[in-house]
Amino acid sequence: MSKHGKLKIIPLGGLGEVGKNMTAYEFKDQILVVDAGIMFPRNDMLGIDYIIPDYEYLRKKADKVVGIVITHGHEDHIGAIHHVLNDLPVPVYATPLTRGLIEVKLARNNAGSKAMLNTVEAGDSVEIGAFKVEFFHICHSIPDSVGLGITTPAGFIVHMSDFKFDHTPVDGWPTDYAKLAEFSKRGVDLLLSDSTNAERPGWTPSEMVIGPAFDKVLTEAPGRVIIATFASLISRIQQVADAAARHGRKMALAGSSMVDNVKIARKLGYLDIPDEVLVPLDQALQMQDHKVVLMCTGSQGEPSSIVGRLSAGTNRQFDLKPRDTVVLSSHPIPGNEETISNTINRLLRRGANVIYDSIAHVHVSGHASQEEQKFLINLVRPKHFMPIHGELRQLMRHAALAREVGIPEENIIVAENGQVVELTGGRVQLGERIPGGYIFVDGESIGDIDYGVMRERGQLARNGIFLIDISVDKYNGRILHDPEIITRGFVSPEDAEQIIPEVRKKVMQVVNGGGMDSQKDITNAVKSYLHQETKRRPMVFVTLSKA
Ligand SMILES: [Zn+2]
Ligand SMILES: [Zn+2]
């Protein structure tokens, strides 16, 4: 087939970071979007619930977007879908389980009614505008994951989202290697592939290794076993249910996201949990402790999750008991290590036994390691290679692996979010740069919080505040009564007792002296005085009322 035209590959998220995966493919006046995920905030992103990709580029060309294809049901691939559909009411294509999880998400955000959801199956080929998309099955830590073969007039792309080459997956359905081999024969112009574990040598162990680890935990636990993982880690939930059944324990689910996801996955046949194994939480809490497994969220130590609340003693429905065993069945997302460590310490202090991935095989990665990544490149033999999904160091490592297996240096493209890549005449080159940053979601506010606000929050947190309330006579400008001064997070109460009268004197002097009359002048005077006395810079606020 002769190739013509220019295909733009537009990374909007997931390149140079872990999470909020989103890629757009643009040919002439048509745009196909792959995935719409969220990213969890770093520790220094104060007050932020989550982050979504900056998809301003798509919003500007909303009439050109022909569809959104979702590769699987993890939050870093579907989490932003309700935001995106709000701006781009276009058809969505997903496999049955992924679609089910999207429906749950849309319903929770009251965005379900107008969404145009289309179900596709692995093996299907769908024409979406100028793009022919072939869906093929891949293994990951959630069933029904797909990779994409995307045929465009400018060339043929293989888009490999999160994957691992697991020969004994939990659902018994291995990756469609034959399809990848067939693509290779057809000639692949560009392969995009998951870089998450590009620094990890060898081969990622099969999900099956977790079974014996859970058996050991359930045999040895004297009381309740509380297992935390992501609500979307459907394969893990299946493994816990199997283990519970083997050990004569009942399983109950805590937390609405876990309950909703299990409900839809069971309904669609992706979770095989007998009715007699799954009991409502209320019932489980009445049973003998050694007969119970509770599944919940909070494996990343999130303070608002069930495990986070258990560690703090603030969970409403049930509290931790001294003989409980808590299992954190996930790996820390970069940036969460400290929170998780604190949570483990708090759980231990409250008397629980805590088991996590560095002391037992209670978690295995869902992402390919180096040997699998090289195997994929060898199987597909693409002309060009572009690492996706990972921080820059992982993208670079993945690029090095591609060189090792013989992809020429000049045919490897390491790009970060917002760096457009162009495929023309069978050649790949860098194109324009477009916005590819963060949109912060903080409760109901989407995108109102920027780095300026974040810096202010950081400054408040680091240096504290100093508030001065002054009332002056509107006729002669003299202070009516002593300025009221409050300080928080700045100095100890004892030091504050010493500093405040001095600041009060200073303020009265300058205002009564008539030398300064504006808030700004007083603020600056106080700031420099505080810095001189304490060598620190709290945020200073002055309110000046005239009466
Ligand atoms: Zn995933
Ligand atoms: Zn992912």
Short mmCIF file of all heavy atoms in Angstrom, two decimals, residues 67 76 122 145 380:
data_model
loop_
_atom_site.label_atom_id
_atom_site.label_comp_id
_atom_site.label_asym_id
_atom_site.label_seq_id
_atom_site.Cartn_x
_atom_site.Cartn_y
_atom_site.Cartn_z
N GLY A 67 -12.88 9.90 17.87
CA GLY A 67 -13.17 8.87 18.86
C GLY A 67 -12.07 8.74 19.89
O GLY A 67 -10.95 9.22 19.70
N ASP A 76 -5.06 5.16 35.53
CA ASP A 76 -4.14 5.98 34.75
C ASP A 76 -4.44 5.90 33.24
O ASP A 76 -3.72 6.46 32.43
CB ASP A 76 -2.67 5.63 35.05
CG ASP A 76 -2.33 4.17 34.79
OD1 ASP A 76 -3.21 3.32 34.99
OD2 ASP A 76 -1.20 3.88 34.37
N ALA A 122 -11.37 -8.09 21.77
CA ALA A 122 -10.04 -8.38 21.23
C ALA A 122 -10.24 -9.19 19.95
O ALA A 122 -11.04 -10.12 19.93
CB ALA A 122 -9.23 -9.17 22.24
N SER A 145 -7.46 -6.41 28.70
CA SER A 145 -6.57 -5.35 28.21
C SER A 145 -6.29 -5.59 26.73
O SER A 145 -6.17 -6.75 26.32
CB SER A 145 -5.24 -5.36 28.95
OG SER A 145 -5.44 -5.10 30.31
N VAL A 380 7.97 -7.68 16.89
CA VAL A 380 7.28 -6.72 16.00
C VAL A 380 8.23 -6.19 14.92
O VAL A 380 7.81 -5.86 13.82
CB VAL A 380 6.68 -5.57 16.84
CG1 VAL A 380 6.10 -4.49 15.94
CG2 VAL A 380 5.60 -6.11 17.78
#
